[in-house]
């Protein structure tokens, strides 16, 4: 069992948030911010593993979870590169950053 977070964001949106979204695992909140340096997502989740998918971007240089660099699965799409990473089952706040 796992939760998948894969926001589809219009390219002209630089920031948005989702609060108290109900899933079968419990409530989820997240805030996404896009800058010239990349994309960051702060996810508050219940006790369940999560898969986070961010992008597309022209190129991906680094992906980090809670400040630690991780090796993502990179997917080539017509719009650019998408990064997919897994997060542990620990409940709480997870910070995912994707740098160009």
């Amino acid at each position: 069992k796992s939760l998948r977070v894969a926001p589809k964001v219009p390219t002209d949106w630089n920031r948005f948030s989702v609060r108290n979204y109900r899933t079968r695992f419990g409530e989820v909140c997240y805030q996404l911010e896009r800058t010239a340096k990349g994309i960051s997502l702060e996810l508050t989740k219940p006790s369940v593993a999560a898969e986070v998918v961010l992008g597309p971007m022209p190129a991906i240089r680094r992906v980090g979870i809670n400040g630690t660099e991780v090796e993502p699965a990179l997917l080539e799409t017509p719009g650019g590169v998408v990064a997919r990473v897994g997060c542990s089952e620990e409940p709480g706040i997870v910070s995912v950053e994707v740098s160009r």
Side-chain angles (χ1 to χ4, degrees):
K1 71 179 190 177
S2 70
L3 172 73
R4 181 179 160 103
V5 178
K8 304 288 187 229
V9 186
T11 55
D12 59 339
W13 288 20
N14 291 325
R15 174 185 288 197
F16 79 98
S17 62
V18 173
R19 303 263 185 245
N20 304 320
Y21 183 78
R22 291 180 186 221
T23 72
R24 64 182 173 147
F25 307 110
E27 288 188 350
V28 172
C29 301
Y30 63 88
Q31 180 173 339
L32 182 135
E33 183 172 359
R34 186 181 356 228
T35 67
K37 294 180 181 181
I39 300 172
S40 65
L41 178 108
E42 186 173 279
L43 168 67
T44 303
K45 65 178 196 61
S47 182
V48 64
E51 176 185 61
V52 177
V53 181
L54 295 175
M57 297 171 63
I60 293 176
R61 191 177 47 120
R62 179 186 182 279
V63 177
I65 297 178
N66 294 336
T68 301
E69 191 166 346
V70 297
E71 193 66 37
L74 298 177
L75 309 167
E76 295 285 338
T77 70
V81 182
V82 174
R84 186 178 70 209
V85 295
C87 303
S88 76
E89 290 186 11
E90 293 294 317
I93 299 173
V94 178
S95 176
V96 179
E97 295 181 355
V98 178
S99 301
R100 298 177 196 224

